[in-house]
Protein backbone atom coordinates (compact mmCIF):
# COMPACT_ATOMS: atom_id res chain seq x y z
CA UNK A 1 0.00 0.00 0.00
CA UNK A 2 1.48 3.33 -1.03
CA UNK A 3 0.60 6.56 0.73
CA UNK A 4 -0.29 9.24 -1.79
CA UNK A 5 -0.93 12.36 0.26
CA UNK A 6 -3.46 14.96 -0.72
CA UNK A 7 -2.29 18.59 -0.92
CA UNK A 8 1.32 17.42 -0.67
CA UNK A 9 4.36 17.78 -2.88
CA UNK A 10 6.70 14.80 -2.89
CA UNK A 11 10.34 15.89 -2.75
CA UNK A 12 11.92 12.44 -2.83
CA UNK A 13 8.98 10.89 -4.60
CA UNK A 14 7.24 7.57 -4.05
CA UNK A 15 9.74 4.73 -4.31
CA UNK A 16 8.98 1.03 -4.04
CA UNK A 17 11.29 -1.94 -4.11
CA UNK A 18 10.88 -5.54 -5.20
CA UNK A 19 12.54 -6.64 -1.95
CA UNK A 20 9.55 -5.94 0.32
CA UNK A 21 11.88 -4.20 2.75
CA UNK A 22 10.59 -0.69 2.13
CA UNK A 23 7.07 -0.25 0.81
CA UNK A 24 7.29 3.50 0.33
CA UNK A 25 9.35 6.59 1.14
CA UNK A 26 8.40 10.23 0.76
CA UNK A 27 9.75 13.60 1.78
CA UNK A 28 6.66 15.82 1.91
CA UNK A 29 5.79 19.49 2.15
CA UNK A 30 2.16 19.96 3.16
CA UNK A 31 0.04 23.09 3.26
CA UNK A 32 -1.97 24.41 6.20
CA UNK A 33 -5.26 22.55 6.34
CA UNK A 34 -3.80 19.34 4.88
CA UNK A 35 -5.66 16.18 5.84
CA UNK A 36 -5.29 12.51 5.05
CA UNK A 37 -8.23 10.25 5.81
CA UNK A 38 -8.29 7.05 7.83
CA UNK A 39 -6.06 4.30 6.46
CA UNK A 40 -3.71 1.54 7.65
CA UNK A 41 -0.54 -0.16 6.43
CA UNK A 42 0.76 -3.72 6.43
CA UNK A 43 4.04 -2.69 8.05
CA UNK A 44 5.33 -0.11 10.53
CA UNK A 45 5.05 3.52 9.44
CA UNK A 46 7.63 6.09 10.60
CA UNK A 47 6.83 9.79 10.19
CA UNK A 48 9.37 12.45 11.16
CA UNK A 49 8.50 16.14 11.41
CA UNK A 50 11.23 18.48 10.19
CA UNK A 51 9.17 21.68 10.28
CA UNK A 52 5.74 22.57 11.64
CA UNK A 53 3.38 20.27 13.48
CA UNK A 54 0.91 17.55 12.49
CA UNK A 55 -1.78 15.68 14.38
CA UNK A 56 -2.08 11.89 14.38
CA UNK A 57 -5.37 10.33 15.42
CA UNK A 58 -5.60 6.60 16.13
CA UNK A 59 -7.51 4.37 18.54
CA UNK A 60 -9.56 7.39 19.76
CA UNK A 61 -6.38 9.18 20.84
CA UNK A 62 -4.50 12.15 19.36
CA UNK A 63 -0.78 12.83 19.22
CA UNK A 64 0.63 16.30 18.52
CA UNK A 65 3.77 15.49 16.53
CA UNK A 66 6.09 18.51 16.55
CA UNK A 67 9.30 19.58 14.84
CA UNK A 68 12.11 17.22 15.83
CA UNK A 69 9.80 14.34 16.66
CA UNK A 70 9.25 10.98 14.95
CA UNK A 71 6.16 8.86 15.48
CA UNK A 72 6.04 5.10 14.83
CA UNK A 73 2.69 3.52 13.96
CA UNK A 74 2.08 -0.24 14.22
CA UNK A 75 0.84 -2.34 11.30
CA UNK A 76 -2.89 -2.56 10.57
CA UNK A 77 -3.78 0.32 12.90
CA UNK A 78 -6.39 2.65 11.31
CA UNK A 79 -5.23 6.26 11.65
CA UNK A 80 -5.53 9.67 10.03
CA UNK A 81 -3.52 12.90 9.80
CA UNK A 82 -4.10 16.63 9.61
CA UNK A 83 -2.25 19.89 10.24
CA UNK A 84 -3.09 23.56 10.83
CA UNK A 85 0.19 25.01 9.59
CA UNK A 86 2.61 24.38 6.71
CA UNK A 87 4.77 21.40 7.61
CA UNK A 88 7.63 19.33 6.24
CA UNK A 89 7.84 15.64 7.01
CA UNK A 90 9.54 12.39 6.05
CA UNK A 91 7.46 9.24 5.66
CA UNK A 92 8.83 5.70 5.66
CA UNK A 93 6.79 2.49 5.38
CA UNK A 94 8.65 -0.62 6.50
CA UNK A 95 7.70 -4.07 5.29
CA UNK A 96 10.86 -5.50 6.87
CA UNK A 97 11.57 -4.89 10.54
CA UNK A 98 13.39 -7.40 12.79
CA UNK A 99 11.03 -8.53 15.54
CA UNK A 100 13.18 -7.17 18.36
CA UNK A 101 13.33 -3.70 16.80
CA UNK A 102 9.62 -3.77 15.93
CA UNK A 103 8.79 -4.45 19.57
CA UNK A 104 10.78 -1.38 20.57
CA UNK A 105 9.35 0.83 17.85
CA UNK A 106 5.73 0.01 18.66
CA UNK A 107 5.70 -1.37 22.23
CA UNK A 108 2.38 -2.93 23.06
CA UNK A 109 1.41 -2.52 19.41
CA UNK A 110 0.69 1.18 20.01
CA UNK A 111 2.09 4.38 18.44
CA UNK A 112 5.28 5.70 19.98
CA UNK A 113 6.54 9.28 19.96
CA UNK A 114 10.33 9.77 19.77
CA UNK A 115 11.91 13.16 20.46
CA UNK A 116 15.26 14.00 18.86
CA UNK A 117 17.77 16.74 19.67
CA UNK A 118 18.72 19.23 16.95
CA UNK A 119 21.92 17.31 16.31
CA UNK A 120 20.00 14.04 16.05
CA UNK A 121 17.51 15.60 13.61
CA UNK A 122 20.41 16.43 11.27
CA UNK A 123 21.66 12.84 11.53
CA UNK A 124 18.12 11.55 10.94
CA UNK A 125 17.76 13.67 7.78
CA UNK A 126 21.08 12.40 6.44
CA UNK A 127 20.15 8.76 7.04
CA UNK A 128 16.74 9.26 5.45
CA UNK A 129 18.30 10.74 2.32
CA UNK A 130 20.78 7.87 2.15
CA UNK A 131 17.88 5.41 2.35
CA UNK A 132 16.13 7.25 -0.48
CA UNK A 133 19.26 6.90 -2.58
CA UNK A 134 19.61 3.18 -1.80
CA UNK A 135 15.97 2.40 -2.54
CA UNK A 136 16.29 4.15 -5.90
CA UNK A 137 19.18 1.88 -6.90
CA UNK A 138 19.01 -1.68 -8.22
CA UNK A 139 17.22 -3.78 -5.58
CA UNK A 140 19.09 -6.97 -6.45
CA UNK A 141 22.44 -5.27 -5.84
CA UNK A 142 21.50 -3.20 -2.79
CA UNK A 143 19.31 -5.56 -0.75
CA UNK A 144 21.81 -6.51 1.95
CA UNK A 145 23.13 -2.95 2.27
CA UNK A 146 19.60 -1.56 2.44
CA UNK A 147 18.63 -4.06 5.11
CA UNK A 148 21.65 -3.07 7.19
CA UNK A 149 20.95 0.64 6.67
CA UNK A 150 17.33 0.21 7.73
CA UNK A 151 18.45 -1.32 10.99
CA UNK A 152 20.99 1.46 11.57
CA UNK A 153 18.24 4.00 10.83
CA UNK A 154 15.85 2.41 13.33
CA UNK A 155 18.56 1.99 15.98
CA UNK A 156 19.52 5.64 15.55
CA UNK A 157 15.92 6.68 16.27
CA UNK A 158 15.69 4.45 19.31
CA UNK A 159 19.02 5.58 20.70
CA UNK A 160 18.09 9.18 20.00
CA UNK A 161 15.13 8.79 22.35
CA UNK A 162 17.62 8.10 25.15
CA UNK A 163 15.52 5.37 26.76
CA UNK A 164 18.07 2.55 26.59
CA UNK A 165 21.12 2.01 28.76
CA UNK A 166 24.55 1.53 27.13
CA UNK A 167 24.52 -2.24 27.70
CA UNK A 168 21.21 -2.63 25.86
CA UNK A 169 22.44 -0.49 22.99
CA UNK A 170 25.61 -2.61 22.80
CA UNK A 171 23.47 -5.75 22.51
CA UNK A 172 21.56 -4.20 19.62
CA UNK A 173 24.87 -3.41 17.96
CA UNK A 174 25.85 -7.08 18.36
CA UNK A 175 22.52 -8.09 16.81
CA UNK A 176 22.99 -5.65 13.93
CA UNK A 177 26.47 -7.08 13.29
CA UNK A 178 24.98 -10.57 13.09
CA UNK A 179 22.37 -9.37 10.62
CA UNK A 180 24.96 -7.92 8.26
CA UNK A 181 27.32 -10.90 8.35
CA UNK A 182 24.96 -13.81 7.80
CA UNK A 183 27.10 -15.14 4.95
CA UNK A 184 30.09 -15.54 7.29
CA UNK A 185 30.87 -17.87 10.21
CA UNK A 186 30.30 -16.10 13.53
CA UNK A 187 31.74 -17.57 16.72
CA UNK A 188 30.24 -16.13 19.90
CA UNK A 189 33.64 -16.09 21.59
CA UNK A 190 35.15 -14.05 18.74
CA UNK A 191 32.10 -11.80 18.77
CA UNK A 192 32.64 -11.08 22.46
CA UNK A 193 36.28 -10.19 21.78
CA UNK A 194 35.25 -7.87 18.96
CA UNK A 195 32.84 -6.01 21.26
CA UNK A 196 35.37 -5.92 24.11
CA UNK A 197 33.54 -8.03 26.66
CA UNK A 198 33.80 -11.45 28.22
CA UNK A 199 31.87 -14.20 26.44
CA UNK A 200 29.84 -15.02 29.55
CA UNK A 201 28.93 -11.32 29.89
CA UNK A 202 27.80 -11.08 26.29
CA UNK A 203 25.69 -14.23 26.62
CA UNK A 204 24.06 -13.00 29.83
CA UNK A 205 23.25 -9.49 28.59
CA UNK A 206 22.12 -10.74 25.17
CA UNK A 207 19.62 -13.17 26.71
CA UNK A 208 18.37 -10.43 29.05
CA UNK A 209 17.63 -8.15 26.07
CA UNK A 210 16.35 -10.64 23.48
CA UNK A 211 15.13 -13.55 25.58
CA UNK A 212 17.26 -16.10 23.69
CA UNK A 213 20.93 -17.00 23.49
CA UNK A 214 23.16 -15.34 20.86
CA UNK A 215 23.51 -18.73 19.13
CA UNK A 216 19.74 -19.20 18.84
CA UNK A 217 19.22 -15.61 17.73
CA UNK A 218 21.85 -16.02 15.01
CA UNK A 219 20.28 -19.27 13.81
CA UNK A 220 16.87 -17.57 13.64
CA UNK A 221 18.39 -14.77 11.57
CA UNK A 222 19.97 -17.24 9.16
CA UNK A 223 16.71 -19.14 8.73
CA UNK A 224 14.70 -15.96 8.19
CA UNK A 225 17.26 -14.82 5.62
CA UNK A 226 16.99 -18.21 3.93
CA UNK A 227 13.21 -17.84 3.80
CA UNK A 228 13.63 -14.40 2.27
CA UNK A 229 16.03 -15.69 -0.40
CA UNK A 230 13.82 -18.68 -1.18
CA UNK A 231 10.79 -16.43 -1.62
CA UNK A 232 12.38 -13.56 -3.54
CA UNK A 233 15.17 -15.09 -5.63
CA UNK A 234 15.74 -18.11 -7.85
CA UNK A 235 19.02 -19.05 -6.21
CA UNK A 236 19.58 -22.79 -5.96
CA UNK A 237 19.19 -24.42 -2.56
CA UNK A 238 22.97 -24.85 -2.44
CA UNK A 239 23.43 -21.11 -3.07
CA UNK A 240 20.89 -20.20 -0.39
CA UNK A 241 22.67 -22.51 2.06
CA UNK A 242 26.02 -20.90 1.23
CA UNK A 243 24.71 -17.33 1.55
CA UNK A 244 23.31 -18.10 4.99
CA UNK A 245 26.47 -19.96 6.08
CA UNK A 246 25.18 -23.46 6.66
CA UNK A 247 27.77 -26.20 6.46
CA UNK A 248 26.22 -27.85 3.42
CA UNK A 249 22.87 -28.50 1.76
CA UNK A 250 22.08 -31.46 4.04
CA UNK A 251 22.68 -29.37 7.18
CA UNK A 252 20.59 -26.50 5.78
CA UNK A 253 17.71 -28.77 4.76
CA UNK A 254 17.56 -30.67 8.04
CA UNK A 255 17.72 -27.48 10.14
CA UNK A 256 15.07 -25.78 8.00
CA UNK A 257 12.74 -28.78 8.26
CA UNK A 258 13.28 -29.03 12.01
CA UNK A 259 12.13 -25.40 12.47
CA UNK A 260 9.39 -25.08 9.84
CA UNK A 261 8.28 -28.72 9.41
CA UNK A 262 8.66 -28.53 5.62
CA UNK A 263 11.67 -28.80 3.34
CA UNK A 264 13.19 -25.64 1.79
CA UNK A 265 11.92 -26.68 -1.65
CA UNK A 266 8.39 -27.20 -0.32
CA UNK A 267 8.47 -23.85 1.44
CA UNK A 268 9.68 -22.15 -1.75
CA UNK A 269 6.89 -23.72 -3.79
CA UNK A 270 4.36 -22.16 -1.42
CA UNK A 271 5.94 -18.70 -1.15
CA UNK A 272 8.02 -17.95 -4.26
CA UNK A 273 7.33 -14.58 -5.86
CA UNK A 274 7.07 -15.54 -9.54
CA UNK A 275 8.32 -12.08 -10.52
CA UNK A 276 11.66 -12.82 -8.84
CA UNK A 277 14.62 -12.56 -11.26
CA UNK A 278 16.24 -15.78 -12.38
CA UNK A 279 19.64 -16.61 -10.92
CA UNK A 280 22.60 -15.97 -13.19
Amino acid sequence: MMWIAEQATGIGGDVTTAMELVNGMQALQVAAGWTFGEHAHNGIELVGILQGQVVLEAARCQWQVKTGQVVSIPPHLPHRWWCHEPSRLNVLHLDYTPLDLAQRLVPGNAPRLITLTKKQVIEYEGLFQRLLDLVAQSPSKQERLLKAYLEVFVLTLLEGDQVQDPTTIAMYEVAAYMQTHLDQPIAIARLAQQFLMAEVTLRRHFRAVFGVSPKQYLLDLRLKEAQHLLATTRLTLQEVAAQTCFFDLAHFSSTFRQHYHVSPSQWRAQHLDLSSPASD
Side-chain angles (χ1 to χ4, degrees):
M1 179 177 180
M2 182 67 67
W3 180 15
I4 302 175
E6 299 172 359
Q7 304 178 36
T9 302
I11 299 173
D14 292 343
V15 184
T16 59
T17 80
M19 297 172 290
E20 298 184 353
L21 299 179
V22 176
N23 194 24
M25 291 188 72
Q26 291 179 301
L28 302 175
Q29 290 180 328
V30 298
W34 168 75
T35 62
F36 191 77
E38 187 172 275
H39 61 292
H41 303 285
N42 292 328
I44 293 176
E45 178 179 6
L46 295 172
V47 178
I49 310 304
L50 304 177
Q51 179 183 343
Q53 175 177 301
V54 300
V55 179
L56 165 67
E57 181 178 317
R60 299 183 180 180
C61 296
Q62 291 185 5
W63 287 263
Q64 305 282 337
V65 190
K66 304 176 182 179
T67 300
Q69 292 184 319
V70 178
V71 63
S72 55
I73 304 168
H76 312 298
L77 177 67
H79 59 282
R80 65 191 188 100
W81 298 94
W82 71 88
C83 68
H84 300 297
E85 59 184 279
S87 300
R88 186 163 64 93
L89 51 151
N90 288 339
V91 182
L92 174 62
H93 298 152
L94 299 175
D95 275 354
Y96 163 80
T97 311
L99 179 60
D100 50 288
L101 295 186
Q103 290 172 340
R104 293 176 62 192
L105 277 175
V106 286
N109 205 34
R112 175 179 177 181
L113 197 61
I114 298 171
T115 301
L116 305 177
T117 65
K118 290 182 178 180
K119 181 179 179 180
Q120 290 162 348
V121 169
I122 294 172
E123 184 177 5
Y124 161 81
E125 283 195 87
L127 285 171
F128 189 88
Q129 184 58 54
R130 178 59 176 147
L131 279 173
L132 274 177
D133 294 340
L134 283 174
V135 171
Q137 296 176 25
S138 171
S140 61
K141 296 181 180 180
Q142 298 298 332
E143 179 173 343
R144 186 175 297 279
L145 182 58
L146 176 59
K147 186 181 292 186
Y149 235 90
L150 282 171
E151 295 195 21
V152 170
F153 181 81
V154 171
L155 282 168
T156 298
L157 290 180
L158 293 171
E159 292 172 15
D161 203 28
Q162 298 179 350
V163 298
Q164 297 294 336
D165 62 271
T167 298
T168 301
I169 292 174
M171 292 305 101
Y172 277 96
E173 291 175 348
V174 170
Y177 177 88
M178 291 179 179
Q179 178 67 67
T180 55
H181 294 79
L182 292 177
D183 59 343
Q184 303 172 20
I186 298 177
I188 305 305
R190 293 290 299 274
L191 198 61
Q193 292 177 356
Q194 182 173 335
F195 284 87
L196 304 178
M197 64 182 72
E199 181 180 352
V200 65
T201 301
L202 185 148
R203 291 182 182 276
R204 183 177 71 252
H205 289 321
F206 197 96
R207 183 179 287 277
V209 172
F210 296 105
V212 297
S213 68
K215 181 179 178 180
Q216 183 60 52
Y217 186 90
L218 179 59
L219 178 59
D220 290 343
L221 285 179
R222 295 195 193 282
L223 289 170
K224 288 183 175 66
E225 177 74 0
Q227 283 186 318
H228 179 68
L229 293 173
L230 289 169
T232 61
T233 75
R234 295 184 184 273
L235 295 173
T236 66
L237 296 185
Q238 289 89 342
E239 289 170 330
V240 172
Q243 289 200 20
T244 49
C245 204
F246 285 91
F247 299 132
D248 52 34
L249 179 56
H251 178 226
F252 169 57
S253 297
S254 64
T255 305
F256 193 97
R257 183 184 288 275
Q258 181 181 355
H259 281 73
Y260 301 119
H261 308 293
V262 295
S263 69
S265 57
Q266 290 171 326
W267 195 93
R268 167 173 269 174
Q270 297 170 2
H271 297 88
L272 178 63
D273 179 359
L274 296 178
S275 64
S276 301
S279 177
D280 293 337

